[in-house]
Amino acid sequence: MFKTVLFAGLTTLIATGQLVAGQHFSPNDTELGTVSGGSNDYLFLKSPREGADVTLTIRPVAGQAFPSEIERINPGTSALADELKINWYAQASCSAGIQQLRSAGPGGTSVQNINGSRNAIAGRSNIQSFDVEAVDRVCIRWAKAMIAQCGWPFEPGAGCDFEETFSYDATTPVPRSSPVRISGSCVNSQLPTTDNYGRLTLRCVFE
C-alpha cells in the first residue's frame, strides 16, 4: 500500500507555551479557541457534507456464453482511488503537547511525530476513504443481480435497469470497506482511537 500523510498541510494554530493557567483548547468546525476549565485533549476528523461522488462503468467479461463475470472498465484503478478521497477536516489538541498522530485506512498507513513541539493543529487533509475492491464489489454484485433477473442482453424497464445509485455514510458504510482509523498520543497520555466513515455516492452503469 502507498502512504498518505494524514495531517499534511494542516495549519499550526497555537504553538507550544501559549496556553495560560486555567485554559484549555476547545474544538469546533473551523478553528481552535481557548476556554476556561481543565485540560481537554482530543483528536477527531469530520467528513464534509458532499463526500465522494463516483461513477463506475462496468460490463460482462468478453467471451462468456452467459455473463457470470463482470469487470470495471472506467475509471482505472489509480484514478478510482483518487476519486475515493475525501477532504476531511481534522483537529488535534494536547495541553501538554502532541507526541504522535497516526492514520490507517484504505489509502495506507501514516505516522507523524510531533514530539511535543505543538499543542494543537487543525485544517483539512485529502484522504482515500474507501477500498477500491469494496466499491467494485457493490457494482459487480448489482450487475450480477440484474443479469440474473433480466437475462443478457436486456432492454431497460420493468425492474431491469442499466444504472443504479447507492448512497453510503457513517450509519450505512460501504460493505467490507476499511474505515479511516485515527489515533495518537500526547506527551503524557494517549488520545482516543476512532473509526471514521465518510459519505459516498456511487453510481454503477452498464457500458
Side-chain angles (χ1 to χ4, degrees), residues 22 28 46 50 52 58 64 67 69-70 124 126 133-134 147-148 157-158 183 191 198:
N28 59 50
K46 181 176 181 179
E50 59 272 17
I58 55 178
Q64 302 175 90
E69 297 299 322
I70 307 296
R124 295 194 175 274
N126 211 27
E133 295 82 2
I147 292 171
S183 59
L191 291 166

Side-chain angles (χ1 to χ4, degrees), residues 12 28 34 42 66 71-72 80 99 106-108 140 145 147-148 167 175 198:
T12 302
N28 59 50
T34 57
Y42 61 83
F66 185 81
E71 63 181 352
R72 166 174 42 87
L80 177 55
Q99 180 65 26
I140 289 171
I147 292 171
S167 297

Side-chain angles (χ1 to χ4, degrees), residues 21-115:
Q23 289 189 328
H24 66 266
F25 294 115
S26 175
N28 59 50
D29 290 348
T30 58
E31 62 183 5
L32 287 168
T34 57
V35 297
S36 298
S39 173
N40 186 19
D41 300 335
Y42 61 83
L43 167 63
F44 74 86
L45 290 181
K46 181 176 181 179
S47 174
R49 289 184 178 180
E50 59 272 17
D53 192 321
V54 175
T55 298
L56 267 60
T57 304
I58 55 178
R59 67 183 177 192
V61 174
Q64 302 175 90
F66 185 81
S68 59
E69 297 299 322
I70 307 296
E71 63 181 352
R72 166 174 42 87
I73 59 172
N74 192 55
T77 298
S78 295
L80 177 55
D82 194 58
E83 290 184 29
L84 293 173
K85 291 180 179 178
I86 290 179
N87 194 26
W88 295 83
Y89 179 76
Q91 283 190 3
S93 172
C94 290
S95 57
I98 301 169
Q99 180 65 26
Q100 186 184 86
L101 301 172
R102 178 183 176 88
S103 70
T109 299
S110 174
V111 177
Q112 185 175 359
N113 293 309
I114 310 299
N115 297 322

